[in-house]
């Protein structure tokens, strides 16, 4: 038997058509889809302004109003808000943005049209991942710049803390993005998406240590907040950008990196399961 006879086409008993176009793989199409998502995002100036201004405005307000020293922590309240708002910004750009935008695309039958094309399903979600990753990195850079210039936050000088920032950032984005995709199936219409998605995100910010220090919350509220990823992202980012003395403000009196990684990884797996169970290409109507 010749070498040509051992090819997959020969084994299948078919001969490839020389004029037949070969579609790119899911990864390559995902990159192209991501570039398209980014282009569409930056063309909508009001959306860009709101996405980046939301955490910046709230950081400036809270860090300016509450600027006293935190007793026994060796930091100011302004520095505390920088790390917490960084986590809130990540969740806003991933969970909230995806939950609303995908619901609108479903209601406008964009998803239905995409599902009828040869594009692999994975390419659509890879495009959303690239959009979230790029925008979250840009938003984090803006918040850290403001934090270091205006509120005295010191960037880490050792590699260990930057590695911690990396895995908290990636696990947080992944978990929140998957939750955003899952919750996008909950609104009945695109018009109701904002109300359905924003409310739980707003509540989580108050019970996860973003606006109110976790030690000032009632125990039962802090316990509910600890079930969700935002609280652990806040704690993880605080461990990166605040001195070790600030760990006293946490519930356990320490940064708990192991538990932080475990909870965020669990939400990544749980969010994936929720996506597989709930995601729909077609609207309810």
């Amino acid at each position: 038997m010749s070498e040509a006879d051992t090819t997959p086409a020969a084994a299948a008993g078919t001969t490839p058509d020389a004029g037949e176009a070969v579609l790119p793989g899911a990864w390559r199409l995902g990159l192209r889809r991501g570039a398209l998502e980014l282009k569409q995002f930056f063309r909508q100036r009001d959306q860009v302004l709101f996405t980046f201004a939301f955490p910046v405005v709230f950081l400036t307000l809270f860090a300016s109003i509450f600027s006293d020293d935190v007793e026994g922590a060796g930091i100011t309240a302004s520095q505390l808000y920088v790390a917490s708002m960084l986590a809130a910004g990540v969740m806003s750009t991933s969970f909230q943005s995806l939950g609303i935008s995908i619901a609108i695309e479903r209601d406008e039958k964009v998803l239905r049209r995409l599902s009828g094309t040869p594009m692999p399903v994975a390419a659509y979600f890879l495009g959303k991942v690239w959009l979230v990753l790029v925008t979250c990195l840009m938003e984090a850079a803006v918040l850290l710049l403001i934090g270091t210039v205006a509120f005295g936050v010191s960037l880490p000088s050792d590699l260990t803390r930057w590695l911690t920032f990396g895995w908290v950032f990636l696990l947080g984005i992944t978990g929140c993005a998957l939750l955003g995709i899952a919750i996008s199936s909950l609104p009945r219409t695109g018009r109701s998406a904002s109300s359905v998605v924003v409310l739980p995100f707003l509540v989580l910010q108050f019970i996860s240590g973003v606006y109110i220090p976790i030690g000032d919350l009632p125990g039962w509220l802090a316990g509910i907040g600890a079930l969700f990823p935002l609280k652990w992202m806040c704690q993880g980012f605080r461990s990166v950008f605040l001195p070790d003395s600030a760990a006293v403000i946490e519930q356990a009196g320490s940064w708990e990196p192991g538990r932080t990684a475990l909870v965020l990884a669990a939400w990544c797996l749980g969010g994936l399961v929720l996506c597989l169970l709930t995601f729909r290409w077609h609207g309810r109507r």
Side-chain angles (χ1 to χ4, degrees):
M1 182 181 293
S2 65
E3 183 179 357
D5 293 334
T6 63
T7 61
T14 59
T15 303
D17 188 357
E20 183 180 355
V22 179
L23 290 176
W27 178 256
R28 187 175 175 186
L29 285 174
L31 289 174
R32 294 182 178 180
R33 181 72 193 177
L36 177 62
E37 293 276 359
L38 287 167
K39 185 181 294 185
Q40 291 176 338
F41 172 76
F42 284 107
R43 282 179 175 175
Q44 300 175 7
R45 296 182 181 179
D46 53 345
Q47 183 181 4
V48 174
L49 179 62
F50 177 80
T51 299
F52 288 99
F54 177 83
V56 170
V57 169
F58 274 80
L59 169 62
T60 304
L61 285 175
F62 278 89
S64 299
I65 296 172
F66 305 100
S67 57
D68 297 335
D69 293 338
V70 179
E71 184 178 356
I75 59 171
T76 64
S78 300
Q79 294 170 320
L80 181 64
Y81 279 116
V82 172
S84 300
M85 285 306 303
L86 179 59
V90 168
M91 191 166 187
S92 172
T93 309
S94 52
F95 170 79
Q96 180 174 288
S97 295
L98 287 186
I100 295 173
S101 64
I102 294 177
I104 293 175
E105 288 178 356
R106 181 185 293 111
D107 193 47
E108 294 178 348
K109 298 182 175 58
V110 175
L111 297 187
R112 176 181 295 182
R113 292 193 293 271
L114 288 175
S115 66
T117 67
M119 182 185 72
V121 173
Y124 172 77
F125 295 106
L126 283 173
K128 294 295 185 184
V129 168
W130 282 114
L131 171 64
V132 168
L133 181 60
V134 172
T135 52
C136 279
L137 283 172
M138 294 176 63
E139 189 173 73
V142 172
L143 289 172
L144 289 177
L145 177 63
I146 295 175
T148 54
V149 172
F151 302 113
V153 172
S154 299
L155 297 180
S157 58
D158 58 294
L159 180 61
T160 303
R161 292 205 174 199
W162 281 115
L163 289 176
T164 300
F165 172 80
W167 63 256
V168 172
F169 187 80
L170 291 177
L171 288 178
I173 282 180
T174 304
C176 291
L178 289 171
L179 287 176
I181 295 172
I183 202 174
S184 70
S185 298
L186 191 58
R188 295 186 62 86
T189 65
R191 292 182 178 180
S192 63
S194 296
S195 302
V196 173
V197 176
V198 171
L199 179 59
F201 174 53
L202 183 62
V203 172
L204 278 179
Q205 290 179 86
F206 278 96
I207 66 175
S208 300
V210 176
Y211 301 135
I212 302 173
I214 202 74
D216 295 341
L217 294 172
W220 65 276
L221 271 181
I224 295 174
L227 297 175
F228 296 93
L230 181 57
K231 185 264 184 187
W232 299 98
M233 281 196 294
C234 290
Q235 187 166 311
F237 287 140
R238 286 195 289 264
S239 72
V240 173
F241 298 106
L242 300 181
D244 292 335
S245 59
V248 297
I249 66 176
E250 306 297 344
Q251 285 178 292
S254 65
W255 297 127
E256 300 180 287
R259 180 174 293 183
T260 300
L262 182 63
V263 173
L264 291 179
W267 270 108
C268 291
L269 294 176
L272 179 60
V273 172
L274 286 174
C275 287
L276 295 175
L277 293 176
T278 63
F279 185 79
R280 304 187 316 273
W281 291 97
H282 306 284
R284 297 183 184 180
R285 294 180 299 178

